[in-house]
């Protein structure tokens, strides 16, 4: 079976600083992959390379066998045009640390914007589907509130609904709870758990070890731009093989 997402020898450098140094990763449909590691290990850069927000300097990413950000022209690969890349990105929703909602639009208006503008979905249909998604993330009763009237957790759940509105094959989460007050973290994680239970394929950069342990099918520990260790969460978290993994987990656990 072709993986939904395949990462091969992925490299990314900013000037002389190589942030990613040959990443190999496979994501199958319906899997939840959690990526953990210290600050500066390359986690967020990896996530941004998956949908070509950052252009890799080496290697490749494939979505259902198709190269991301590149297209075949004869026997060689060339950069996609902006419109081609935009169409491909519709298949990968992304939720950032910040919420990035339009401040002058309500939660409902934020969710319907892309389906109407990008996909040409009729407004009545887009609004009906958006209300279903807002209900899914526990935001139906806040549909007509503006971002300034919502808590951080409510804004992040709206951002999740906005990404889901494009009906992606894959959801990418870049530390979605890191900007939240501690008491708001649980509501966002509960939404993500619900998505996982429904079979959504997810790649999650997170520092929430409890979520990684309970929800992930596969756990990846990164440091220094490489994957140091990966496997089932129960194996990596309880019996890590590498000294660097043990040191990181020891520090994280002691701080919680």
């Amino acid at each position: 079976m072709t993986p939904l997402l395949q990462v091969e020898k992925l490299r990314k450098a900013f000037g002389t600083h190589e942030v990613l140094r040959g990443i190999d990763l496979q994501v199958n449909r319906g899997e939840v992959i959690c990526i953990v590691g210290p600050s500066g290990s390359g986690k967020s850069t990896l996530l941004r390379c998956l949908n070509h927000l950052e252009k890799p300097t080496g290697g490749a990413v494939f979505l259902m066998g198709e190269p991301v950000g590149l297209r075949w022209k004869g026997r060689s690969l060339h950069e996609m045009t902006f419109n081609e890349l935009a169409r491909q990105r519709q298949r990968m929703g992304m939720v950032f640390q910040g919420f990035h909602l339009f401040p002058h639009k309500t939660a409902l208006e934020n969710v319907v914007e892309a389906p109407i503008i990008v996909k040409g979905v009729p407004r009545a249909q887009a609004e009906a589907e958006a209300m279903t998604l807002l209900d899914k993330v526990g935001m139906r009763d806040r549909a007509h509130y503006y971002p300034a009237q919502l808590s951080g957790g409510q804004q992040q759940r709206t951002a999740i609904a906005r990404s889901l509105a494009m009906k992606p094959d894959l959801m990418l989460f870049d530390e979605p709870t890191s900007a939240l007050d501690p008491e708001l973290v649980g509501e966002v994680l509960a939404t993500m758990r619900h998505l996982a239970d429904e079979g959504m394929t997810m790649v999650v950069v997170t520092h929430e070890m409890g979520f990684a342990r309970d929800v992930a099918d596969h756990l990846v520990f990164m440091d220094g731009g490489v994957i140091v260790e990966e496997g089932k969460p129960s194996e990596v978290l309880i019996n890590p093989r590498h000294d660097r993994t043990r040191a990181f987990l020891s520090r994280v656990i002691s701080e919680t």
Side-chain angles (χ1 to χ4, degrees), residues 194-248:
H194 181 61
L195 292 178
D197 290 341
E198 289 187 335
M200 173 60 71
T201 310
M202 300 160 60
V203 180
V204 185
V205 170
T206 184
H207 58 274
E208 300 290 343
M209 293 301 165
F211 176 86
R213 180 193 63 233
D214 298 340
V215 179
D217 298 295
H218 194 78
L219 183 67
V220 174
F221 171 64
M222 286 184 63
D223 190 33
V226 299
I227 294 177
V228 176
E229 185 165 354
E230 59 181 312
K232 293 184 179 298
S234 57
E235 297 171 354
V236 176
L237 295 175
I238 296 174
N239 189 30
R241 300 186 304 273
H242 295 270
D243 290 341
R244 183 65 188 93
T245 314
R246 284 192 289 271
F248 170 77

Side-chain angles (χ1 to χ4, degrees), residues 10 19 24 29 39 64-65 113 148 195 205 235 244 248:
L10 190 68
V19 179
D24 292 308
R29 189 173 293 277
S39 178
M64 286 299 293
E113 180 83 2
L195 292 178
V205 170
E235 297 171 354
R244 183 65 188 93
F248 170 77

Side-chain angles (χ1 to χ4, degrees), residues 4-252:
L4 179 60
L5 190 75
Q6 182 81 38
V7 182
E8 296 181 356
K9 308 300 180 188
L10 190 68
R11 310 183 81 89
K12 175 62 182 179
F14 296 98
T16 60
H17 178 49
E18 195 168 33
V19 179
L20 300 177
R21 301 189 290 126
I23 300 293
D24 292 308
L25 185 65
Q26 178 175 301
V27 183
N28 295 314
R29 189 173 293 277
E31 276 191 320
V32 178
I33 309 293
C34 280
I35 304 174
V36 302
S39 178
S41 60
K43 307 184 301 296
S44 292
T45 300
L46 170 59
L47 212 64
R48 293 173 67 86
C49 284
L50 296 184
N51 65 359
H52 222 67
L53 282 174
E54 292 287 355
K55 180 182 175 181
T57 49
V61 178
F62 298 92
L63 182 66
M64 286 299 293
E66 299 177 358
V68 174
L70 303 169
R71 61 183 174 86
W72 290 103
K73 189 174 182 181
R75 295 185 177 182
S76 59
L77 286 170
H78 297 263
E79 282 286 320
M80 283 183 170
T81 66
F82 177 84
N83 288 336
E84 288 171 334
L85 182 56
R87 284 193 294 271
Q88 190 177 56
R89 282 183 180 148
Q90 293 177 25
R91 301 175 63 187
M92 291 187 278
M94 188 159 184
V95 178
F96 300 89
Q97 297 178 30
F99 319 124
H100 303 300
L101 299 177
F102 295 116
H104 60 291
K105 293 182 180 291
T106 65
L108 176 62
E109 290 168 340
N110 268 279
V111 176
V112 303
E113 180 83 2
I116 292 173
I117 300 300
V118 178
K119 286 192 168 183
V121 177
R123 178 169 289 276
Q125 178 185 338
E127 289 186 352
E129 292 176 352
M131 288 301 293
T132 298
L133 290 173
L134 288 169
D135 187 47
K136 181 194 293 284
V137 301
M139 288 295 295
R140 173 178 281 272
D141 62 340
R142 296 291 188 271
H144 301 292
Y145 284 54
Y146 290 91
Q149 299 172 304
L150 303 174
S151 70
Q154 290 169 338
Q155 291 185 60
Q156 191 63 293
R157 284 185 282 153
T158 301
I160 292 172
R162 180 180 58 184
S163 291
L164 292 172
M166 296 300 285
K167 301 179 181 178
D169 296 308
L170 170 70
M171 286 287 287
L172 308 175
F173 292 87
D174 187 9
E175 298 200 28
T177 62
S178 64
L180 301 178
D181 292 333
E183 65 268 22
L184 301 177
V185 169
E187 62 190 50
V188 174
L189 293 181
T191 297
M192 294 170 65
R193 289 172 190 264
H194 181 61
L195 292 178
D197 290 341
E198 289 187 335
M200 173 60 71
T201 310
M202 300 160 60
V203 180
V204 185
V205 170
T206 184
H207 58 274
E208 300 290 343
M209 293 301 165
F211 176 86
R213 180 193 63 233
D214 298 340
V215 179
D217 298 295
H218 194 78
L219 183 67
V220 174
F221 171 64
M222 286 184 63
D223 190 33
V226 299
I227 294 177
V228 176
E229 185 165 354
E230 59 181 312
K232 293 184 179 298
S234 57
E235 297 171 354
V236 176
L237 295 175
I238 296 174
N239 189 30
R241 300 186 304 273
H242 295 270
D243 290 341
R244 183 65 188 93
T245 314
R246 284 192 289 271
F248 170 77
L249 293 175
S250 176
R251 189 181 73 250
V252 170

